[in-house]
Amino acid sequence: MNRFFADTSVMAWRNLRRTLRLPEMVVFATIQPVMFVVLFRYVFGGAIDTGSTSYVNFLMAGIFVQTVAFGSFGTALGLVDDLQRGVVDRFRSLPMNHGAVVLGRIINDISINLISIIVMVIVGVIVGFRPTGSPLELLLGFGILVLVSFSFSWIGATIGLSLRTVEAVNSGGFLWMFPLTFVSSAFVPVDSMPGWLQGFAEYQPFTRMVDAVRALSLNQPAADHVIASVLWCLAIIAVFLPISMRQFRRAALRA
Amino acid sequence: MEHSRAELAVRARGVEMAFGETRALRGIDLDVPTGTVLGLLGPNGAGKTTAVRVLSTLLRPTAGEVEVAGIDVLREPAKVRERIGLIGQAAAVDEMLTGLENLTMFGRLHGMRKAAAKGRARELLTRFDLDDAADRIAKEYSGGMRRRLDIAAGIVVRPSVLFLDEPTTGLDPSSRLAVWEIVRELVADGTTVLLTTQYLDEADQLANDIVVIDHGTVIAHGTSDELKGQVGGGRVTITVEHAAQLDLLTGVVRAVAGAEPVVTAGELRVTAPFEGGARHLPELVRAIDDAGITLAGLELRPPTLDDVFVHLTGRSTEDADQEQGA
Ligand SMILES: Nc1ncnc2c1ncn2[C@@H]1O[C@H](COP(=O)(O)OP(=O)(O)OP(=O)(O)O)[C@@H](O)[C@H]1O
Ligand SMILES: [Mg+2]
């Protein structure tokens, strides 16, 4: 177990080092949600009715959760890159814990996500976002985002290790995120959607996560959403962690 | 040469590996006595990398037994990993880390403490002449430097068995010599080495024993001299100016050399065993001249491992490569 932590911290250190030397990755990961903020706040926002809540206050929770969800793309890409370069082979020939290869990558991606979120908060405040939650609620909201980031990273790991090439991940590895993040409460209230979509949008995990972060940031009743989000995250981890580890073994055998 | 099991650093019996329909290994036996170098020789697609991946615990063979450093690879892969070093075909260092960071990382992943890992990293950088590049990222290294770093990463904790998959492919001659020197030093320190190569002279230079594989089976093994002995005396290689004269030349050589020549049409070249040696060369030249053939070149040389390959398979290693590419 000690060995596992030691190996994981070495792998996390390695990935963070890489990230620092390739800051473009972080910059691009941040520019995209900034564009979303501007786009939705100024282009679509005027046409979206969010009742008594201002649209920018409504929007930012959606942006935060979408940002960390999209971050899982980096997990997929990073693992596949290592796989293709033969670095994973080298790691697998070492007497180290192989799970640390994936976990080290995920820790790196969570760190990038944290940076993106901080940038998003600043950008949000500039365009009028005024969170009203208590410091404790805001902290909890942040915690939820970290948990979401962690759980979605396992989905990213599973996808990357299943597709096994950078090209495949680049062209298809993020498709699943569009229905999940857009058919949700992230950008528009669910009750503005046609009935047949509402059923999906209302109950899918992403909506619950957005609702939890939104409620926490706007000082609204949040307990139900928080519990649902945590349970969803645990469920995602329970499913995708073992699958991704199995795919890691398989992908490495085939590379 | 028979060795007792205890003397063998690598022992493989009947190893088979199938990838779906592709049978990359079809029953391979390998023995590497402790402290020696085995050269695994074969053209592209012969199964060299697959064999190395099986021996180094990365692939689970479809059938067969494998022991490395006296440990059963299938039963106790984790234990085997503590005793081996793997240097794969593609240089698997982290391009975005510096040389020092790379080696420190691999030391840490072997369970070394930070200070010890760093110390060892410095030592290896000095030994492999990478001191000046220690703090540059590996991406900026030349191919030869990257290869040396890659080898250093494979021996951070001195392995008892080291696997090198085509360690000099793509390197310039001086880098090649540097890698050979490193391998010789490791062997002198007592490391057992299994290296794969497509270069016949490389196996000749480094290996005590050579195993030639083709299409996933062992087609020959022995020392370099034993293999050369199998194909008899020297070789004469003749090239002509005009493609039209190639057939004529083949006939002349067949008659004089008394053996079936190998024709490499693309290079206007004919090669044949030439038992008689230099004393009989004038006879050959005269026959060629009498036939009105315009010579572009003629060379008499001792047999190489390439000749062995042709002798064993009827194809040159280059043909085998093309076959694989097709
Ligand atoms: N992961 C894999 N999936 C399917 N086929 C594979 C896989 N790995 C190797 N093969 C096939 O197995 C055969 C042996 O391949 P291998 O890589 O071991 O050859 P090699 O001797 O190392 O060749 P090279 O000199 O090109 O490195 C080839 O036909 C190759 O296409
Ligand atoms: Mg190979």
Side-chain angles (χ1 to χ4, degrees):
Chain A
M1 207 58 199
N2 258 339
R3 192 59 199 272
F4 175 67
F5 286 121
D7 290 341
T8 302
S9 72
V10 174
M11 293 312 293
W13 168 87
R14 168 213 173 215
N15 282 298
L16 288 166
R17 261 291 136 110
R18 290 173 63 86
T19 301
L20 286 177
R21 295 204 175 123
L22 289 166
E24 306 92 277
M25 291 293 283
V26 184
V27 173
F28 288 132
T30 312
I31 284 179
Q32 193 247 13
V34 169
M35 291 200 301
F36 269 71
V37 171
V38 174
L39 200 66
F40 276 91
R41 166 77 175 86
Y42 295 108
V43 180
F44 302 132
I48 299 170
D49 179 11
T50 46
S52 57
T53 310
S54 75
Y55 184 66
V56 64
N57 278 347
F58 177 90
L59 171 71
M60 288 315 292
I63 294 285
F64 295 147
V65 186
Q66 193 193 43
T67 303
V68 300
F70 278 26
S72 67
F73 184 63
T75 311
L77 215 50
L79 287 173
V80 168
D81 191 50
D82 280 351
L83 211 55
Q84 278 188 312
R85 284 175 196 276
V87 183
V88 168
D89 262 6
R90 158 84 25 91
F91 290 141
R92 284 180 67 241
S93 76
L94 297 176
M96 64 177 289
N97 187 302
H98 299 157
V101 177
V102 181
L103 191 56
R105 175 73 216 185
I106 289 181
I107 290 173
N108 171 71
D109 299 330
I110 293 177
S111 313
I112 296 180
N113 276 339
L114 289 179
I115 296 171
S116 305
I117 290 170
I118 290 168
V119 175
M120 269 341 99
V121 170
I122 295 169
V123 170
V125 168
I126 292 172
V127 300
F129 174 49
R130 298 290 175 266
T132 51
S134 69
L136 203 67
E137 283 172 323
L138 296 182
L139 202 66
L140 185 57
F142 220 73
I144 297 271
L145 287 172
V146 172
L147 183 62
V148 171
S149 174
F150 183 68
S151 53
F152 273 67
S153 285
W154 291 104
I155 302 181
T158 301
I159 288 171
L161 295 169
S162 305
L163 295 179
R164 291 205 299 269
T165 65
V166 170
E167 294 75 16
V169 170
N170 261 325
S171 46
F174 52 87
L175 287 179
W176 61 281
M177 293 186 220
F178 286 99
L180 196 72
T181 58
F182 283 98
V183 187
S184 78
S185 64
F187 303 104
V188 298
V190 169
D191 55 25
S192 68
M193 297 178 193
W196 58 273
L197 259 189
Q198 280 187 28
F200 171 74
E202 186 65 47
Y203 292 104
Q204 62 121 325
F206 200 76
T207 293
R208 300 313 293 267
M209 296 164 185
V210 172
D211 287 350
V213 174
R214 181 174 292 141
L216 288 167
S217 69
L218 299 178
N219 191 23
Q220 292 163 355
D224 283 0
H225 297 313
V226 169
I227 292 169
S229 301
V230 171
L231 290 178
W232 266 117
C233 285
L234 294 179
I236 289 171
I237 295 166
V239 172
F240 286 95
L241 188 152
I243 300 182
S244 64
M245 288 319 297
R246 199 193 60 183
Q247 294 302 83
F248 179 77
R249 275 190 296 275
R250 287 203 178 173
L253 288 182
R254 239 171 277 194
Chain B
M1 232 191 308
E2 281 304 308
H3 292 269
S4 79
R5 249 172 121 133
E7 289 171 296
L8 292 175
V10 177
R11 179 178 180 277
R13 289 291 174 276
V15 174
E16 292 175 26
M17 184 72 222
F19 298 104
E21 293 287 285
T22 314
R23 292 173 62 208
L25 299 178
R26 316 178 183 214
I28 287 208
D29 294 348
L30 290 175
D31 282 342
V32 190
T34 304
T36 66
V37 182
L38 178 81
L40 194 59
L41 187 66
N44 283 132
K48 302 181 296 294
T49 297
T50 306
V52 166
R53 287 167 59 82
V54 167
L55 297 173
S56 59
T57 78
L58 297 185
L59 272 182
R60 221 184 145 75
T62 329
E65 297 168 32
V66 189
E67 272 174 34
V68 170
I71 306 160
D72 189 320
V73 171
L74 300 180
R75 268 195 232 119
E76 300 187 278
K79 240 170 130 180
V80 170
R81 286 180 202 122
E82 288 174 11
R83 290 173 172 69
I84 62 168
L86 169 66
I87 291 134
Q89 192 165 347
V93 291
D94 190 323
E95 296 202 321
M96 293 312 294
L97 297 188
T98 66
L100 180 64
E101 287 168 346
N102 261 298
L103 296 183
T104 309
M105 170 176 77
F106 288 116
R108 301 269 283 143
L109 293 175
H110 268 286
M112 290 167 83
R113 299 211 163 274
K114 202 170 191 164
K118 216 165 188 167
R120 174 69 176 151
R122 290 244 177 249
E123 193 183 312
L124 286 168
L125 288 166
T126 306
R127 177 163 165 200
F128 289 177
D129 204 15
L130 290 169
D131 265 328
D132 295 339
D135 296 317
R136 273 199 283 145
I137 58 171
K139 198 176 181 164
E140 296 168 4
Y141 284 22
S142 70
M145 290 162 75
R146 210 178 290 193
R147 203 60 189 170
R148 296 206 298 277
L149 180 64
D150 197 33
I151 296 177
I155 60 163
V156 167
V157 168
R158 224 191 64 171
S160 35
V161 183
L162 186 65
F163 298 98
L164 292 146
D165 194 4
E166 299 197 24
T168 66
T169 301
L171 297 189
D172 63 32
S174 76
S175 303
R176 251 182 118 196
L177 290 178
V179 169
W180 287 0
E181 208 38 56
I182 290 172
V183 173
R184 290 198 184 102
E185 281 173 24
L186 290 170
V187 176
D189 288 350
T191 308
T192 305
V193 173
L194 187 152
L195 66 90
T196 77
T197 181
Q198 299 188 41
Y199 301 122
L200 310 153
D201 58 326
E202 184 158 288
D204 212 355
Q205 285 284 332
L206 296 176
N208 302 90
D209 285 309
I210 295 171
V211 168
V212 185
I213 62 171
D214 187 33
H215 295 309
T217 45
V218 175
I219 56 173
H221 70 267
T223 63
S224 172
D225 288 340
E226 282 167 0
L227 291 178
K228 287 175 183 170
Q230 283 188 19
V231 294
R235 284 290 184 283
V236 65
T237 300
I238 305 156
T239 43
V240 287
E241 289 277 325
H242 311 292
Q245 296 184 327
L246 208 55
D247 280 348
L248 189 56
L249 175 69
T250 309
V252 170
V253 173
R254 185 186 297 123
V256 179
E260 189 54 41
V262 176
V263 182
T264 314
E267 295 174 25
L268 307 181
R269 190 175 67 206
V270 169
T271 302
F274 201 67
E275 301 286 347
R279 276 191 302 141
H280 293 265
L281 219 45
E283 191 188 324
L284 178 64
V285 176
R286 219 172 297 132
I288 292 171
D289 198 38
D290 289 348
I293 297 167
T294 318
L295 273 184
L298 187 148
E299 184 200 7
L300 181 68
R301 55 173 171 75
T304 65
L305 287 165
D306 200 21
D307 301 324
V308 175
F309 197 80
V310 173
H311 177 76
L312 292 167
T313 64
R315 338 188 300 289
S316 79
T317 52
E318 287 156 35
D319 293 343
D321 289 357
Q322 274 152 21
E323 214 173 89
Q324 178 67 16

